[in-house]
Amino acid sequence: MKYLQNFSNLAYPLVRNNPLRSWPKTKNISSRNFFIVLIISFLGCSVFADTLEVCSSCEYTSVSEAIAKAKDGDEVLVKGGVYSEGNILVDKSILLKGIDDPILDGKDQSGLLTITANGVTIEGFVIQNVGTSYLKDRAGIKVDKAKNFIIRNNRLLNTFFGIYLANSSDGLVANNKLVGQAVEEMSSANAIHIWYCKRITVEDNLVRQHRDGIYLEFVDNSLIRRNTSEDNLRYGLHFMFSNNDNYFHNVFRRNGAGVAVMFSKKINMWNNVFEYNWGKASYGLLLKEIYDADIKNNAFRENTIGILVEGSTRINYLQNDFISNGWAIKISGGCLDNVISENNFLSNTFELSLKASVNNNTFDGNFWSDYNGYDLDRDGIGDVPYRPVKLFNYIVNQTPEAMVLLRSLFVDIINFSEKVSPVFTPENVIDNQPAMKQIDNTSESLSLKTH
Amino acid sequence: MFKILKYSFFDLVRSRWTYIYCAFYFLFTLSLLWLSNDLSKVTISLMNVILVLVPLIATMFGIMYYYNSREFTELLLAQPIKRTSIFIGQYFGVALSLSGSLLVGVGVPFLLYGIFGSGQIWNFLTLLMVGVFLSFIFSAIAFFIALKNENRIKGFGLGILVWLFLAVIYDGIFLLLLAVFSDYPIEGFAMGASMFNPIDLSRILILLKLDISALMGYTGAVFQKFLGTSMGMVASITILFAWVALPVWRIKRVALRKDF
Amino acid sequence: MITIQNLHKAFGKNEVLKGIDLNFDKPGITAVLGPNGSGKTTLIKCVLGMVIPNKGCICMEGENIAGKWAYREHLSYLPQIARFPENLTGRELLSMVKDMRNGKASDQGLIKIFDLEPHLDKRLGNLSGGTRQKINLILTFMYDNPVIILDEPTAGLDPVALIHLKDLIEQEKQRGKTILITTHIMSFVEQIADEIVFLLEGKIHFKGSLRALKERFNEVSVEKAIANMMLQQNGKAFAVKDMEPSSAPATEFLESEN
């Protein structure tokens, strides 16, 4: 596979308009495509490609010099050493490859790589010290109006923006490690920032200590998977005005808040872990004004709020695990046609909280660890419906100060009496088919993945 | 006074109630630690039990001890001993043996578990501190009630009433007031009202340590801002001390005027 | 030694002592007698400082005892019912009382007299009433104090122990102590008392020597003299001497108080 990729990279200039190729399918190329790509690559390679080496004793001693001399399809190999050349413009379709971890150092004065050509691959660099700028969007690697790029196996340390993609499409950002030093939101920026892009794949990256881990604004048809985003000041992952995107198998941990999905449509969120997002305004996942999303097989563990929902419609919450959160799901604002089903609610302080009246939502078929009904016909479904909204929950919504009575004997007593004869808790928030046993949401729900 | 304390304490240390009480905490804590590996959850479960049980047991036990040791008290009254020393000594004997049961019953399982190696040590110590304070507060209230009432039924009844008031009814009234005045800024009131009930104050001290303040939103922030500081800690400990001192002072006053 | 002046005590509306004046200045044995509820125990408890009088004063060695406690160092007291902390053993109780008092205690002789050695290491809760009363007596007599107050000392004692008790009281009298006894056993009074104080409804009804009492009521036994005195008080002037001593109402107040 690696062999194949190396060759196919070189082929970009030739294949970029080839309808057979389309990101992010690189890794799933069928055998027929494989041969076509191989043949084209081989041709491209033998006819055009030169290799330009950069090191202190090589023909080229500076990266920008080598790029200036290179032509489309060439390889520029940068060997170990520190290169402080300010911002390097990559305006040709080349492979820019670091060997033995060459360091590009901005000395806190500038961004480092700016890609403006199509079909560029950047790999194997250590990119560091971009420096905060309030005027310019300085970035470790910036891609502007380019297609078919690959950015992989780099380490970006103390960059302001890490990887900044704008007006681009069909790109891959993989296997990078981005570690920032963000202390406050105002003077920090996002690790991977994507703006007005289409068909981008972001996978297997580790992003840490930035403002947002991964930020998408006006980004469509993209895939975010297998990333770990942790210790970021604001969000682990942030969608704004983005549609038809997927994020699978990511871990969001100890961020100001895990993931925010805002003003977006048709987002699939599967098999992610949201954990330890704990703080006064923290939550695992925020949904704000979104439509037609699918939230499946995720694990929400020890978040102040597992999912905070503000006005969302046609959302399916299926087979998720909510473990030890303050609130498992907190819904404020009108929510229509949501399905909350087959989830496990385990030891949450509050399971469900509803601030607004909601209509046409389903809460059936979940497992609630607080449920203590019985199952006489032994079909695995409790014979007594379960009301996930407790009286205290209701009171706290009316009077937030009442939270000081949390875990007092009095609250236990009123919750119990309300359970026996419901008066205040909403009629339509009820699980008519509560599961007797914990539901096995095993399909890679990552719920056992350690931190 | 220390002699009386010594004798009361050793008398109680050998009583089977002390053992039952201690064994209960021991087994309860042990089974919690065994069932759950999450120390902060164990702390919360223990807190729920301690906040309800310690005041109740301290009240009942204090009243029971006073009534049962009437003859002993009369024997002491005929000795050349200051009156107040007798009652204060007995009171401290009861409070210390109750606290001792709690400390041993909860502490030993935690030590076996290896609490010093974990980050939960401060939460655990807060829990123990609060438990000891509640033991002292409610056994003092118990002694005061028993001293005031020769009739045992009346004494026990009043004891249960006081416990019920502080453990449940107080919070009910508190909640009602919060609901009625919810349009006004009432964080100050909420804080004041919960600080003047020792059970509420204890609960909040532990919850803040466990970082539940994040759940409490704005109110939690107000609490954290005050109680989270050393100044707030000093204030809450002062209030807990006052809760011990007030009934003890009343015990002294009543003891001086009472006929036996 | 002990001077009581104008002593009043009421428990709520119930006036128990209505102006008692007494003076115990000579060594000797004074028996405080009276029917149930006449205020005997209250009087004694006032002297001990266990009951706080409403009015009047009690002086010991010329000093008012109100609010004081150190004077009890010179006072031995035998309470009416011997109930002790149940979890202690007799030996611990003895050492505890010794620990709390300063005087020199001589308990070994007393333990021998009452043959208590085998019982001293048992829990007090497991001892019989009589044995506990013996321990009670040891606690009282092991100090050499000038004033001894005994509230129902004979309760629960077997005849042998009773004889030892009488001997003990006699000995203490010989040593010049002031001894106050309340009891309902008239024969006991007759054998040991020098003086009699008779309380009725919170007042002193009679105070004088044993002989004076008998002469006044023209009776040969104290029992009948006392009974007569009570009946006179009740306005029922019939001759008690015709009645059997055991029959009511003359013997009613002889039953032990609770």
Side-chain angles (χ1 to χ4, degrees):
Chain A
M1 231 17 214
K2 198 164 183 187
Y3 176 76
L4 163 75
Q5 280 173 5
N6 280 341
F7 273 97
S8 60
N9 295 339
L10 303 176
Y12 291 150
L14 299 172
V15 299
R16 63 183 180 251
N17 296 320
N18 186 338
L20 289 174
R21 273 206 74 263
S22 78
W23 288 105
K25 286 188 178 169
T26 330
K27 292 195 171 174
N28 301 316
I29 290 168
S30 69
S31 55
R32 209 187 71 186
N33 289 354
F34 174 84
F35 283 112
I36 296 171
V37 169
L38 189 67
I39 291 161
I40 295 171
S41 326
F42 185 70
L43 286 173
C45 194
S46 59
V47 176
F48 300 106
D50 288 327
T51 301
L52 293 77
E53 293 196 339
V54 183
C55 68
S56 52
S57 56
C58 301
E59 188 184 347
Y60 302 100
T61 54
S62 102
V63 182
S64 2
E65 198 186 329
I67 294 173
K69 289 281 170 357
K71 58 186 184 300
D72 286 356
D74 285 353
E75 273 182 34
V76 176
L77 301 183
V78 182
K79 298 193 173 163
V82 181
Y83 303 86
S84 303
E85 304 170 27
N87 194 10
I88 300 169
L89 184 68
V90 184
D91 52 358
K92 289 163 184 161
S93 307
I94 55 166
L95 163 69
L96 183 60
K97 185 173 179 181
I99 291 168
D100 300 330
D101 300 323
I103 298 168
L104 305 183
D105 195 325
K107 294 189 164 168
D108 287 339
Q109 294 301 316
S110 70
L112 288 159
L113 289 169
T114 302
I115 298 162
T116 56
N118 295 337
V120 172
T121 297
I122 310 277
E123 64 178 80
F125 284 91
V126 177
I127 294 170
Q128 62 186 29
N129 303 332
V130 166
T132 302
S133 163
Y134 296 99
L135 300 172
K136 282 194 219 161
D137 292 340
R138 276 190 207 155
I141 302 173
K142 192 169 194 171
V143 179
D144 197 9
K145 299 189 190 80
K147 290 179 179 175
N148 299 329
F149 55 88
I150 297 179
I151 299 170
R152 67 182 171 203
N153 303 335
N154 300 292
R155 272 184 290 153
L156 290 89
L157 309 172
N158 188 28
T159 53
F160 181 56
F161 281 94
I163 297 172
Y164 189 119
L165 315 178
N167 296 308
S168 300
S169 67
D170 304 295
L172 170 70
V173 177
N175 253 321
N176 301 289
K177 184 176 174 186
L178 297 93
V179 179
Q181 298 178 346
V183 184
E184 52 170 4
E185 269 186 35
M186 277 293 290
S187 59
S188 56
N190 309 323
I192 299 176
H193 182 94
I194 311 177
W195 189 68
Y196 272 111
C197 289
K198 283 188 170 63
R199 296 183 298 280
I200 305 291
T201 298
V202 178
E203 63 185 24
D204 299 310
N205 299 288
L206 170 68
V207 297
R208 194 180 273 165
Q209 268 179 287
H210 285 77
R211 184 172 63 194
D212 287 350
I214 303 169
Y215 178 90
L216 298 90
E217 192 172 351
F218 305 108
V219 176
D220 298 338
N221 302 90
S222 293
L223 171 67
I224 314 289
R225 65 177 174 191
R226 296 194 302 262
N227 300 287
T228 299
S229 180
E230 57 190 20
D231 300 312
N232 296 295
L233 295 183
R234 203 166 64 180
Y235 303 117
L237 171 64
H238 191 175
F239 287 90
M240 295 285 279
F241 311 106
S242 298
N243 304 323
N244 299 310
D245 298 310
N246 299 327
Y247 65 98
F248 308 146
H249 298 285
N250 300 287
V251 177
F252 305 101
R253 185 182 291 143
R254 289 187 305 269
N255 298 295
V259 174
V261 182
M262 302 178 173
F263 312 104
S264 300
K265 288 174 196 165
K266 293 189 180 154
I267 309 282
N268 290 322
M269 321 174 199
W270 300 344
N271 301 90
N272 300 289
V273 175
F274 304 78
E275 60 188 9
Y276 315 120
N277 298 295
W278 193 263
K280 276 188 263 307
S282 253
Y283 36 79
L285 172 61
L286 167 71
L287 306 176
K288 194 178 171 84
E289 300 298 326
I290 71 164
Y291 297 87
D292 301 296
D294 206 20
I295 302 171
K296 237 164 106 176
N297 279 110
N298 301 287
F300 296 85
R301 196 183 300 121
E302 290 187 43
N303 304 290
T304 306
I305 302 170
I307 306 183
L308 176 62
V309 188
E310 292 179 7
S312 299
T313 302
R314 294 189 298 278
I315 316 285
N316 296 322
Y317 306 77
L318 306 171
Q319 291 148 17
N320 301 290
D321 288 342
F322 296 89
I323 306 161
S324 305
N325 300 288
W327 284 268
I329 302 178
K330 191 170 186 176
I331 296 175
S332 58
C335 291
L336 285 169
D337 302 311
N338 294 293
V339 177
I340 298 180
S341 193
E342 293 176 56
N343 302 288
N344 289 314
F345 291 84
L346 310 171
S347 326
N348 300 289
T349 307
F350 300 103
E351 285 160 335
L352 202 52
S353 166
L354 295 138
K355 220 163 194 171
S357 65
V358 293
N359 290 306
N360 216 12
N361 299 290
T362 311
F363 303 94
D364 289 344
N366 298 288
F367 173 77
W368 313 88
S369 60
D370 281 3
Y371 181 65
N372 46 16
Y374 46 83
D375 179 22
L376 288 183
D377 52 6
R378 298 190 177 276
D379 60 351
I381 297 166
D383 299 346
V384 187
Y386 181 72
R387 293 164 178 275
V389 179
K390 305 280 193 311
L391 177 56
F392 183 54
N393 210 324
Y394 171 84
I395 292 168
V396 166
N397 275 343
Q398 308 292 315
T399 318
E401 292 82 5
M403 190 61 101
V404 297
L405 293 171
L406 180 71
R407 292 186 193 285
S408 68
L409 183 60
F410 177 74
V411 164
D412 290 344
I413 292 170
I414 59 168
N415 274 346
F416 179 76
S417 63
E418 175 74 10
K419 197 171 108 183
V420 173
S421 56
V423 180
F424 299 100
T425 46
E427 265 307 301
N428 56 353
V429 181
I430 189 163
D431 186 340
N432 293 302
Q433 298 167 318
M436 290 305 289
K437 278 189 185 145
Q438 194 173 331
I439 298 155
D440 188 17
N441 295 337
T442 41
S443 59
E444 292 181 78
S445 70
L446 302 178
S447 52
L448 290 173
K449 198 164 170 176
T450 55
H451 52 96
Chain B
M1 187 182 90
F2 286 103
K3 282 179 184 166
I4 312 278
L5 191 163
K6 192 176 80 189
Y7 287 110
S8 283
F9 181 76
F10 285 113
D11 180 32
L12 280 163
V13 157
R14 280 190 286 175
S15 116
R16 78 176 166 277
W17 290 110
T18 312
Y19 285 113
I20 292 172
Y21 187 58
C22 184
F24 167 78
Y25 279 121
F26 186 80
L27 293 176
F28 184 71
T29 311
L30 213 60
S31 54
L32 278 181
L33 285 170
W34 186 51
L35 288 172
S36 163
N37 280 319
D38 187 344
L39 272 183
S40 84
K41 269 195 202 116
V42 173
T43 313
I44 286 185
S45 303
L46 268 177
M47 177 197 82
N48 285 340
V49 169
I50 284 177
L51 288 185
V52 173
L53 220 57
V54 165
L56 181 63
I57 300 287
T59 311
M60 293 296 105
F61 200 80
I63 292 176
M64 195 174 81
Y65 182 80
Y66 176 83
Y67 286 142
N68 280 351
S69 59
R70 273 241 27 180
E71 296 76 32
F72 181 41
T73 309
E74 284 181 17
L75 178 81
L76 292 175
L77 281 165
Q79 307 302 326
I81 302 167
K82 221 162 113 191
R83 258 189 180 209
T84 50
S85 309
I86 296 172
F87 295 100
I88 301 298
Q90 285 185 347
Y91 156 66
F92 276 111
V94 170
L96 281 176
S97 77
L98 284 171
S99 311
S101 296
L102 179 76
L103 290 178
V104 171
V106 176
V108 170
F110 268 89
L111 284 180
L112 293 177
Y113 187 86
I115 180 72
F116 287 109
S118 79
Q120 291 285 321
I121 180 78
W122 287 109
N123 302 344
F124 172 70
L125 288 179
T126 309
L127 184 74
L128 287 187
M129 179 194 86
V130 155
V132 168
F133 262 119
L134 288 177
S135 301
F136 271 84
I137 291 168
F138 282 86
S139 44
I141 292 174
F143 255 72
F144 172 66
I145 289 172
L147 262 172
K148 274 293 232 189
N149 295 282
E150 280 301 295
N151 184 338
R152 287 172 187 224
I153 308 282
K154 210 171 150 193
F156 277 110
L158 264 175
I160 289 177
L161 209 68
V162 166
W163 171 79
L164 203 64
F165 178 78
L166 288 174
V168 182
I169 300 169
Y170 185 93
D171 289 349
I173 297 168
F174 181 20
L175 185 60
L176 207 68
L177 289 176
L178 285 180
V180 169
F181 296 105
S182 60
D183 296 338
Y184 303 89
I186 44 178
E187 287 77 25
F189 164 74
M191 188 147 77
S194 46
M195 283 188 82
F196 282 101
N197 179 340
I199 299 180
D200 280 339
L201 179 59
S202 308
R203 184 168 45 74
I204 287 165
L205 279 178
I206 299 171
L207 288 184
L208 286 182
K209 274 266 180 289
L210 291 172
D211 203 22
I212 303 277
S213 59
L215 285 187
M216 306 215 288
Y218 180 64
T219 316
V222 172
F223 272 73
Q224 184 77 62
K225 205 170 158 192
F226 180 64
L227 293 176
T229 60
S230 52
M231 162 74 186
M233 209 61 196
V234 169
S236 7
I237 290 178
T238 309
I239 287 172
L240 288 174
F241 264 117
W243 265 102
V244 180
L246 188 75
V248 168
W249 173 66
R250 293 298 306 168
I251 290 172
K252 280 191 165 188
R253 298 255 308 182
V254 176
L256 280 177
R257 288 162 193 205
K258 192 175 158 69
D259 299 320
F260 289 89
Chain C
M1 192 128 287
I2 302 175
T3 316
I4 301 170
Q5 285 174 351
N6 194 26
L7 196 68
H8 283 77
K9 178 66 193 176
F11 295 109
K13 280 180 183 164
N14 177 19
E15 277 189 74
V16 180
L17 299 178
K18 303 170 187 166
I20 304 277
D21 291 289
L22 273 175
N23 203 1
F24 306 103
D25 46 5
K26 297 192 293 274
I29 301 171
T30 307
V32 179
L33 305 176
N36 297 339
S38 59
K40 302 185 295 287
T41 300
T42 305
L43 178 64
I44 283 177
K45 285 184 170 179
C46 281
V47 173
L48 280 161
M50 290 165 73
V51 169
I52 292 146
N54 301 109
K55 218 166 111 185
C57 73
I58 300 168
C59 294
M60 205 168 149
E61 309 281 359
E63 205 180 324
N64 195 335
I65 62 159
K68 305 257 173 37
W69 50 275
Y71 73 94
R72 290 198 283 267
E73 194 74 67
H74 310 294
L75 211 153
S76 295
Y77 168 61
L78 179 91
Q80 198 171 38
I81 303 162
R83 279 185 292 181
F84 302 114
E86 298 201 338
N87 291 312
L88 293 181
T89 66
R91 204 178 297 284
E92 285 165 330
L93 182 72
L94 285 175
S95 66
M96 181 181 97
V97 172
K98 281 191 242 170
D99 191 22
M100 285 178 203
R101 298 191 77 127
N102 293 321
K104 187 180 158 293
S106 44
D107 51 338
Q108 286 310 318
L110 291 164
I111 291 171
K112 245 180 225 136
I113 290 172
F114 288 106
D115 196 20
L116 269 176
E117 193 58 43
H119 301 294
L120 280 182
D121 290 312
K122 293 179 187 162
R123 277 176 75 242
L124 289 164
N126 296 337
L127 296 178
S128 73
T131 315
R132 275 187 281 176
Q133 182 69 356
K134 286 178 192 169
I135 290 176
N136 208 1
L137 286 169
I138 293 175
L139 289 177
T140 313
F141 284 103
M142 68 185 182
Y143 285 102
D144 187 16
N145 285 331
V147 178
I148 300 172
I149 299 173
L150 307 172
D151 201 350
E152 295 289 339
T154 56
L157 291 183
D158 56 47
V160 179
L162 199 59
I163 290 168
H164 290 314
L165 174 63
K166 279 181 205 159
D167 289 349
L168 266 177
I169 294 173
E170 197 58 36
Q171 266 175 40
E172 296 295 317
K173 182 185 161 187
Q174 298 307 326
R175 290 162 70 185
K177 309 275 178 82
T178 303
I179 302 172
L180 276 176
I181 299 178
T182 75
T183 182
H184 288 108
I185 314 291
M186 287 307 132
S187 57
F188 187 66
V189 174
E190 205 154 3
Q191 283 165 26
I192 60 164
D194 300 320
E195 287 268 316
I196 287 187
V197 173
F198 190 81
L199 285 181
L200 201 58
E201 289 175 358
K203 285 184 181 151
I204 296 171
H205 207 70
F206 175 86
K207 184 180 187 306
S209 68
L210 211 71
R211 202 191 315 150
L213 177 77
K214 288 183 197 168
E215 279 172 1
R216 181 163 160 194
F217 292 95
N218 200 15
E219 296 284 353
V220 283
S221 75
V222 180
E223 192 162 31
K224 286 188 178 168
I226 297 283
N228 232 331
M229 186 156 39
M230 283 184 65
L231 290 171
Q232 273 185 8
Q233 177 66 21
N234 291 347
K236 294 174 190 167
F238 63 87
V240 178
K241 53 189 157 189
D242 299 336
M243 295 177 68
E244 286 299 310
S246 60
S247 63
T251 49
E252 187 190 44
F253 75 94
L254 303 181
E255 287 157 20
S256 75
E257 274 180 30
N258 291 321

